[in-house]
Amino acid sequence: MEIQLWREILDPYRQAVDELTVKFEHMIEEHHNAGLYCPIVQVSGRVKKISSILEKCQRKNVPMEELEEKIEDIAGIRIVCSFTSDIYRLAEMIGKQNDLTVICVKDYIKNPKVSGYKSFHMHVTVPIFLSDRVVDTKVEIQIRTIAMDFWASLEHKIYYKFEGHAPEYISRDLRACAEIVSNLDAKMLQLNEAILEEKEKEEQKKKEE
């Protein structure tokens, strides 16, 4: 496929990533300016490299003329939160945005992958206004905690090194680490809720004095 044709295919995805990245960064700023707690710690975006798209098409046996229909993560946004409760709160906020259309969600937190991978995925479309038409462009939004993101980054590096065929003992240890991450997230959420409860008691006590 010619470079010019790839540019025409990928340009709407690049615009979608840019728009959503700015959107979520503004959401962070809006919360901070209002003195409110923001569920977002960090946001980043990317468009798959052409080589990665071709590799995925080959792996999933997707014809090139169907790649935009069947490859749903050409454009991706990754949002990192502090707590698992923030993930679901943010997902609800995203669902209420009238400039996005949610196609489907995949909850790999409640239903982790066999590898131990946990994250909350939202597949959305974003209207991208080109010079001659409007393109509803697919974007995959991944929402995860800091701990989940750390684990997923290491898993990606390990499986990339072994070309997707890591030795069983490494896969087993990764699953064990995923369990540790899950327990850590649960404990940190519990601690955060305890802190908020203590603060609420202090504020109530001040009101009564």
Side-chain angles (χ1 to χ4, degrees):
M1 193 181 293
E2 295 181 3
I3 294 298
Q4 179 60 33
L5 184 53
W6 272 115
R7 186 177 294 115
E8 290 175 6
I9 291 172
L10 296 180
D11 272 354
Y13 292 100
R14 293 192 179 99
Q15 290 186 49
V17 166
D18 290 344
E19 287 188 16
L20 286 183
T21 301
V22 170
K23 179 184 187 69
F24 291 121
E25 287 175 345
H26 282 175
M27 193 179 290
I28 296 172
E29 186 177 359
E30 178 188 359
H31 278 75
H32 288 174
N33 289 342
L36 301 172
Y37 174 79
C38 184
I40 301 174
V41 173
Q42 182 182 353
V43 58
S44 59
R46 64 98 183 100
V47 174
K48 267 187 180 296
K49 295 179 181 178
I50 295 173
S51 59
S52 297
I53 296 172
L54 291 172
E55 185 275 330
K56 191 162 189 177
C57 284
Q58 184 176 12
R59 178 161 43 89
K60 292 185 172 291
N61 198 27
V62 175
M64 291 304 297
E65 60 270 16
E66 297 179 11
L67 73 90
E68 290 190 82
E69 177 188 351
K70 295 187 176 179
I71 305 298
E72 297 179 325
D73 63 343
I74 294 176
I77 295 288
R78 182 175 300 162
I79 301 175
V80 177
C81 303
S82 294
F83 308 104
T84 50
S85 57
D86 292 338
I87 293 173
Y88 293 104
R89 177 185 171 193
L90 180 59
E92 185 178 355
M93 292 168 65
I94 292 172
K96 292 178 179 177
Q97 302 294 307
N98 57 19
D99 58 341
L100 301 177
T101 300
V102 178
I103 303 170
C104 70
V105 299
K106 296 179 181 179
D107 191 342
Y108 296 117
I109 299 172
K110 293 179 179 176
N111 302 289
K113 292 186 178 181
V114 175
S115 65
Y117 174 85
K118 286 189 174 185
S119 186
F120 191 91
H121 292 193
M122 302 184 74
H123 291 234
V124 305
T125 58
V126 185
I128 297 300
F129 294 84
L130 303 178
S131 58
D132 57 346
R133 66 192 189 282
V134 178
V135 181
D136 286 326
T137 306
K138 293 179 182 178
V139 181
E140 181 185 71
I141 302 174
Q142 299 178 352
I143 316 173
R144 55 180 68 152
T145 64
I146 298 169
M148 290 175 196
D149 189 56
F150 174 65
W151 183 93
S153 296
L154 287 180
E155 185 214 26
H156 178 75
K157 289 178 182 178
I158 289 170
Y159 278 99
Y160 182 81
K161 182 176 181 179
F162 289 102
E163 297 182 343
H165 302 287
E168 174 54 31
Y169 77 93
I170 290 180
S171 298
R172 184 178 62 248
D173 286 350
L174 274 172
R175 290 192 294 270
C177 288
E179 187 64 26
I180 293 170
V181 164
S182 181
N183 291 336
L184 175 63
D185 271 333
K187 187 62 179 177
M188 295 305 290
L189 177 59
Q190 183 183 359
L191 284 170
N192 185 59
E193 289 173 345
I195 291 168
L196 294 176
E197 187 176 337
E198 287 299 320
K199 287 180 68 176
E200 190 175 334
K201 287 179 181 177
E202 288 179 9
E203 291 175 2
Q204 185 63 34
K205 188 176 179 180
K206 288 178 182 179
K207 290 179 181 179
E208 293 173 354
E209 291 177 350

